[in-house]
Amino acid sequence: MSTPGTAEEGQAVAERRLHPVTPLRRAWAPVTVIVGWTVHDPGRIREQLAHLSAARLLLGLTVVVLVACVYGFLSWWFTRFAVTGTELRIRTGLLFRRTAHIRLDRLQAVDVTRPLLARVAGVAKLKLDVVGTGDKDELAYLGEAEARALRAELLARAAGFAPETAHEVGEAPARLLLRVPPRMLAVSLLLSGTTWGSSAAALAVPPLVWAATHNLWTVLALGLPLLGGALTRSAGRFADAYDWTVSESPDGLRIDHGLLDRAHETVPPGRVQAVHLVEPLLWRRRGWVRVRLDVAGSPRSVLVPVAPREIAEAVIARVLPGVTVPASLSRPPRRAAWCLPFWWRGHGLAVTDAVFAARHGLLHRSLALVPHAKVQSVRLRQGPWKRFRRVADVLVDTGANTTVTARLRDAGEAAALLYAQADRSRTGRRDARPDRWMVS
């Protein structure tokens, strides 16, 4: 599967092609264009097909299939990739050539995903998360064994292993930290406000529409999409989070999940900027929480979809070594009620030696933890009314372009917190973990 490639830095680099089943996947592109055209103007298509004989129609379908097959083959033939000493190079494009140069030291994560049909064919997709890019480059498809071997080699190169020894490192061993039982996942979805809200809309809207119009088709046109959306939203979340496991390895926390499409992701070490513990109202009696992450340069968000609080806190301790979730937080002063009646009680703040922690929400409570070393800037915000009530907000910006806010603090406390947090952040970076793969 390799062909002689171009020379880089005086050395020949072997370029490889994707798995031979890839043309079958890419052949769908011309078919998709024709289907989209048909859906866009079905009346005109029906009118044109009425003038064709069966033989011409069969001939046309044959031409479409042949064109799709030729397109898929040529697209696969002209797609190659190579791992050099400093980068992963991907050449794509049938008519317009495109070459992606992915620096190995800028790799945020290398994830392996296996959609349902890919699992049947024994292939997998490799998604590459690179610092400073919004979209992920991908290699689709590779054999499952080749995808895992290439992922391990890329992570080893990113960690600084020499090119001649990187392929011998292999996949780092992992230790299971958490597995979410399907029963707990299903119950958590039933107790979710999103599920109840969409279900209530699906049940309430059709009777109201019937009372206003007395038209059955209008009721069906509005009710069926709402009901379908409520079912698919809940079923989709269940399928996505099914068999959710979190494991610890030298290259970061590994996350595996998915019922139909299996995903194998890695949380980069040292690049987590903030952690959020989310407690929906109906979960609190059971002591369940959801854990979300803010990762620099990555859209990754969910670490744990649902888990008992003590287990979730143990996982957080692995993501942020030395960090303990504060047991109690201080509320804003009572005069803050003039700025945010009743809901001011949902806000809280705690600052420990390791993190800046801020909580908001009464019904949907969320606690954000920002390690001092990850704070990019600290700001104080105070409008005229807050200045009159002698309260202010303290905003902490993270490297993931997110902001954590401690709202409605006493003005004197907020001013002192502003300077103290700046000092803590400056000194916290001295003890920060290195942002390198496979470095303990």
Side-chain angles (χ1 to χ4, degrees):
M1 295 302 296
S2 64
T3 62
T6 61
E8 180 179 289
E9 297 178 355
Q11 296 181 350
V13 178
E15 291 188 336
R16 290 182 275 176
R17 289 197 177 93
L18 302 175
H19 195 275
V21 304
T22 305
L24 297 177
R25 174 250 186 182
R26 298 192 173 186
W28 281 102
V31 177
T32 304
V33 173
I34 295 175
V35 171
W37 180 44
T38 305
V39 173
H40 177 70
D41 193 358
R44 185 177 178 183
I45 296 299
R46 194 182 309 113
E47 181 181 343
Q48 292 182 352
L49 292 179
H51 295 85
L52 295 178
S53 63
R56 288 189 176 184
L57 184 59
L58 182 60
L59 179 61
L61 291 176
T62 304
V63 171
V64 169
V65 171
L66 287 177
V67 170
C69 292
V70 170
Y71 171 82
F73 175 79
L74 292 178
S75 177
W76 167 77
W77 182 262
F78 285 105
T79 299
R80 301 174 182 177
F81 68 94
V83 183
T84 70
T86 58
E87 66 180 19
L88 169 65
R89 189 173 56 222
I90 305 175
R91 301 181 188 276
T92 58
L94 182 58
L95 299 178
F96 301 96
R97 301 290 291 166
R98 172 181 179 270
T99 303
H101 299 269
I102 301 172
R103 284 177 49 186
L104 298 178
D105 60 347
R106 303 288 290 175
L107 276 177
Q108 279 277 89
V110 183
D111 301 331
V112 178
T113 61
R114 294 182 298 157
L116 180 59
L117 293 180
R119 292 166 65 186
V120 174
V123 296
K125 181 190 300 184
L126 217 59
K127 289 188 175 181
L128 308 160
D129 198 352
V130 184
V131 175
T133 59
D135 298 327
K136 291 185 178 182
D137 285 289
E138 64 179 32
L139 291 173
Y141 288 86
L142 300 169
E144 288 187 10
E146 184 183 9
R148 291 187 177 276
L150 180 58
R151 175 184 177 277
E153 181 182 352
L154 292 176
L155 295 183
R157 295 279 189 95
F161 282 81
E164 57 274 12
T165 59
H167 66 279
E168 300 174 356
V169 175
E171 192 168 29
R175 183 173 67 90
L176 181 67
L177 295 179
L178 173 146
R179 183 186 296 275
V180 178
R183 178 184 174 85
M184 175 183 288
L185 179 62
V187 174
S188 69
L189 291 176
L190 291 175
L191 298 179
S192 170
T194 305
T195 302
W196 282 101
S198 56
S199 300
L203 295 176
V205 169
L208 295 176
V209 174
W210 173 258
T213 64
H214 289 83
N215 187 312
L216 179 61
W217 294 109
T218 303
V219 172
L220 292 177
L222 290 176
L224 289 179
L226 287 174
L227 184 60
L231 292 176
T232 55
R233 190 175 295 111
S234 300
R237 290 178 61 185
F238 179 83
D240 180 66
Y242 181 81
D243 194 24
W244 191 288
T245 62
V246 180
S247 305
E248 183 184 36
S249 74
D251 55 8
L253 287 184
R254 295 180 186 170
I255 302 173
D256 293 88
H257 60 94
L259 178 61
L260 302 178
D261 297 346
R262 291 293 294 175
H264 178 81
E265 304 171 342
T266 303
V267 178
R271 289 175 178 165
V272 175
Q273 304 296 306
V275 175
H276 303 260
L277 270 82
V278 182
E279 294 178 280
L281 178 64
L282 299 179
W283 289 16
R284 292 179 202 168
R285 187 170 183 180
R286 295 173 178 266
W288 293 351
V289 297
R290 179 187 305 126
V291 182
R292 295 193 296 106
L293 300 178
D294 291 338
V295 182
S298 173
R300 191 185 321 279
S301 59
V302 178
L303 176 63
V304 179
V306 58
R309 188 181 182 92
E310 61 274 14
I311 296 178
E313 291 184 359
V315 175
I316 291 174
R318 306 308 304 169
V319 177
L320 304 176
V323 171
T324 302
V325 179
S328 62
L329 294 90
S330 63
R331 286 178 174 169
R334 283 191 171 276
R335 59 179 180 278
W338 290 94
C339 300
L340 193 65
F342 186 68
W343 295 100
W344 69 276
R345 300 176 63 88
H347 292 273
L349 171 68
V351 180
T352 70
D353 294 337
V355 293
F356 178 93
R359 184 187 64 198
H360 73 274
L362 278 177
L363 302 181
H364 195 79
R365 187 182 298 164
S366 178
L367 173 65
L369 307 173
V370 184
H372 297 314
K374 302 300 181 183
V375 174
Q376 299 296 308
S377 62
V378 187
R379 294 175 286 136
L380 187 146
R381 183 175 62 193
Q382 188 182 38
W385 182 245
K386 289 181 180 176
R387 189 158 53 244
F388 177 71
R389 303 308 309 180
R390 291 178 287 115
V391 295
D393 301 337
V394 177
L395 296 85
V396 170
D397 301 315
T398 73
N401 293 325
T402 57
T403 301
V404 174
T405 304
R407 295 195 61 186
L408 305 173
R409 309 308 305 179
D410 176 81
E413 177 195 3
L417 182 61
L418 178 72
Y419 295 104
Q421 184 59 44
D423 287 339
R424 280 190 289 265
S425 302
R426 185 167 51 253
T427 55
R429 295 190 186 94
R430 299 173 185 170
D431 302 325
R433 297 179 68 194
D435 291 350
R436 299 281 295 177
W437 298 98
M438 300 181 182
V439 177
S440 58

